[in-house]
Amino acid sequence: MIKIQEKLNENNIALKIVFENSSHPEFVIKKQNHITEDLSNNVAYLYVEKEYFSYFEVQNLLRKLPKSINRDYVLDVASLEEKFNKEEALRLAVLSTDFGSAKLFKKTFKSEKTEEKELSLLVQNYDDKYLKELLIVAEAITTTRNLQITPENFLNSENLASFVASDLSGIENLKVKVLTKKEIEQLNMGLLLSVNKGSTHEPRVVVIEYNGNPESQEKTVYVGKGITFDTGGVNTKGYHMEGMKFDMSGSAIVAYALKAIAQLKLAKNVSAIMCITDNRINGDASLPENVYQSMSGKWVEVADTDAEGRLVLADGLYYAAEILKATTIVDVATLTGAILSSLGHVYTGVFSQSDAKVKSFLKAASQVKEKVWRMPMHEDYDKGNKSSKVADLLNWSSTVRQDSSQAAMFLKEFVKDVDYIHCDIAGTADFKGEPQGVLVATLVEFAKNL
């Protein structure tokens, strides 16, 4: 966690951000990202050229800063107010520098003895409540990212469920229940179980409930896809499986958004469901054209075992609607490769037929500076889902070329009549192997705004 200081001591060197054309000493070297030091006055200046003034460019700069400095500095948050308002400046400083200084999973034969320099934050005259909120969200993002990057042989379905249950225990008004394979079978979660058939590890469903407003009947439920590694199953991905450990990202995101919500003591009722297994091949693995019954009772033909995400989510979504009595459901999943063709690695795709709820979600994302984009979700994209000759639904079809929208419509089949938002993070969960912890902040903000 990034260190916060309310004042400088005599040994500190203050690091100030200076923007092109702003007031600063003449000796400052005017080169992007260059640090000019005035050690006689215990101050240094980090120069930013005008083409890098945007929130996201400064965010990238600050994320890289902790591992690029050659001495200890205390970043003066107020210096960011030259271009950003007070809340934006504090959010930028806390979340970006914490992101860059996070110690994530890594195994080495010998301990790395390189001495890392420390970047702290000078935070003066800021709202303590808002600072506390940012620190809680930052910690949630870091834990999410650490789970994302951890390999499957250290974090299989059983490990992930156990870790979350232990880590979230003892938090006020937060209840965690881990469903075993036997309990999953008793609930008839046949789609999740079908994906798990090829695994050597049992599936898990982790149900996390936060009851911050017992007087209210409103309940928002976040559902996360938790495929700890995705080989594609019998419809194998082939040689290229890089990054498939990130297929559990959605489950970690919803769990740690929930932890942050509970720590913030929001007067809301919010729950999370993690649907966890891997998708691999053995002699009992699910085959294309097999048919399985979902928890909802609907039968699904598996056209593609590599479209497993929508299968595990389907049972989780129905659990949210039927058992938890959700009034709003949001899922988060690394679901389709098609979303990369539409939005690349820049925006998360958001799908919903509830204009009011998705408007609130988009507002929340905007408030916390996360890039999301609403995508079409219409019955025209549902034709392939209804084209099975042997079951109620087909889990994949080439009939509709936009599979992201097709997948969203498939999932909608399992939420009953509950307001529903689907988030496809296949392009944003990680970037070149670097876990991003996307949507944790948005989900927290969305809960606040409900």
Side-chain angles (χ1 to χ4, degrees):
M1 179 61 66
I2 197 74
K3 182 180 175 183
I4 305 295
Q5 295 183 209
E6 294 183 355
K7 61 182 180 180
L8 296 170
N9 64 50
E10 60 182 15
N11 297 318
N12 290 150
I13 299 174
L15 179 63
K16 297 178 182 290
I17 308 295
V18 293
F19 296 91
E20 185 176 349
N21 298 327
S22 65
S23 176
H24 55 265
E26 290 186 6
F27 61 78
V28 170
I29 296 174
K30 298 174 178 60
K31 180 181 177 182
Q32 175 64 19
N33 290 359
H34 188 85
I35 295 177
T36 305
E37 296 183 328
D38 178 7
L39 297 183
S40 61
N41 290 305
N42 279 6
V43 65
Y45 302 91
L46 175 58
Y47 190 77
V48 180
E49 296 175 354
K50 60 183 178 182
E51 56 261 47
Y52 300 98
F53 280 5
S54 76
Y55 184 96
F56 296 104
E57 290 290 356
V58 176
Q59 174 181 269
N60 288 336
L61 183 156
L62 294 180
R63 283 180 172 184
K64 295 174 183 176
L65 189 60
K67 290 184 170 63
S68 65
I69 53 178
N70 296 318
R71 69 168 78 244
D72 295 345
Y73 291 114
V74 182
L75 176 63
D76 186 353
V77 176
S79 65
L80 289 164
E81 292 181 35
E82 177 71 29
K83 292 297 176 185
F84 305 100
N85 65 41
K86 210 169 183 68
E87 282 198 358
E88 288 175 336
L90 190 59
R91 175 174 289 277
L92 257 177
V94 172
L95 296 190
S96 303
T97 57
D98 193 74
F99 186 102
S101 60
K103 303 292 191 297
L104 303 182
F105 177 96
K106 186 176 182 180
K107 295 293 183 184
T108 57
F109 177 61
K110 294 181 179 180
S111 60
E112 297 178 352
K113 295 182 179 180
T114 55
E115 183 182 348
E116 291 189 8
K117 303 305 178 183
E118 183 177 67
L119 180 69
S120 306
L121 299 181
L122 178 63
V123 178
Q124 297 174 312
N125 303 316
Y126 285 91
D127 183 348
D128 286 343
K129 182 180 178 182
Y130 186 56
L131 174 60
K132 179 183 176 182
E133 176 184 325
L134 290 174
L135 291 172
I136 286 172
V137 171
E139 182 182 30
I141 291 172
T142 295
T143 308
T144 298
R145 295 178 63 225
N146 194 52
L147 291 173
Q148 285 184 274
I149 203 170
T150 302
E152 192 275 344
N153 63 318
F154 285 88
L155 196 70
N156 61 46
S157 53
E158 297 164 39
N159 299 148
L160 177 55
S162 296
F163 176 86
V164 171
S166 174
D167 193 43
L168 271 60
S169 65
I171 299 175
E172 186 179 356
N173 293 325
L174 193 68
K175 181 174 67 175
V176 183
K177 177 169 60 176
V178 178
L179 302 181
T180 63
K181 183 177 182 179
K182 182 177 180 180
E183 291 169 306
I184 293 168
E185 289 171 339
Q186 290 170 345
L187 287 166
N188 195 35
M189 289 183 159
L191 301 186
L192 170 57
L193 289 165
S194 76
V195 177
N196 181 251
K197 281 171 65 65
S199 179
T200 56
H201 304 292
E202 289 193 359
R204 291 289 185 265
V205 173
V206 182
V207 182
I208 310 163
E209 295 182 78
Y210 171 69
N211 189 19
N213 186 2
E215 304 299 318
S216 174
Q217 296 300 310
E218 294 293 312
K219 178 182 280 191
T220 299
V221 181
Y222 298 150
V223 182
K225 173 186 172 184
I227 302 296
T228 55
F229 195 89
D230 182 17
T231 69
V234 172
N235 292 110
T236 178
K237 294 177 182 294
Y239 185 75
H240 301 288
M241 297 188 191
E242 299 89 347
M244 286 302 103
K245 66 182 178 182
F246 291 108
D247 218 16
M248 46 62 67
S249 296
S251 66
I253 288 163
V254 300
Y256 281 88
L258 228 293
K259 182 180 181 181
I261 288 166
Q263 289 175 318
L264 291 170
K265 302 183 187 300
L266 299 186
K268 310 288 182 178
N269 301 321
V270 191
S271 298
I273 301 172
M274 305 170 70
C275 307
I276 315 171
T277 180
D278 54 53
N279 183 27
R280 69 174 82 188
I281 309 167
N282 70 11
D284 195 39
S286 177
L287 298 175
E289 300 187 341
N290 279 7
V291 175
Y292 301 98
Q293 190 176 33
S294 68
M295 183 182 176
S296 73
K298 294 178 182 179
W299 290 85
V300 177
E301 179 185 359
V302 177
D304 185 352
T305 62
D306 195 24
E308 86 297 331
R310 63 200 80 180
L311 297 177
V312 302
L313 283 173
D315 283 334
L317 292 169
Y318 189 77
Y319 188 101
E322 179 68 16
I323 306 298
L324 297 185
K325 307 300 181 187
T327 54
T328 302
I329 298 175
V330 181
D331 79 48
V332 182
T334 46
L335 204 65
T336 66
I339 200 68
L340 278 86
S341 300
S342 304
L343 301 176
H345 293 284
V346 181
Y347 284 84
T348 291
V350 177
F351 303 76
S352 183
Q353 293 184 333
S354 173
D355 290 340
K357 288 293 170 68
V358 79
K359 182 179 179 180
S360 179
F361 189 87
L362 296 175
K363 178 183 177 182
S366 176
Q367 287 172 321
V368 300
K369 306 297 183 182
E370 291 204 90
K371 294 179 179 179
V372 302
W373 197 267
R374 188 177 185 182
M375 299 292 287
M377 188 175 178
H378 189 271
E379 282 70 19
D380 288 346
Y381 295 106
D382 206 23
K383 295 175 182 177
N385 296 326
K386 304 290 181 62
S387 63
S388 174
K389 292 180 172 59
V390 295
D392 298 306
L393 296 167
L394 195 64
N395 84 321
W396 180 85
S397 170
S398 60
T399 303
V400 177
R401 296 181 64 84
Q402 178 42 272
D403 187 46
S404 299
S405 293
Q406 177 173 251
M409 291 302 296
F410 177 90
L411 294 172
K412 184 178 177 292
E413 292 285 334
F414 301 91
V415 298
K416 303 178 78 171
D417 294 321
V418 179
D419 286 339
Y420 170 57
I421 299 170
H422 162 60
C423 303
D424 193 336
I425 59 167
T428 54
D430 75 287
F431 184 69
K432 296 182 178 179
E434 181 80 16
Q436 298 296 301
V438 293
L439 295 191
V440 171
T442 294
L443 293 175
V444 173
E445 195 70 18
F446 181 64
K448 286 170 58 182
N449 294 345
L450 289 170

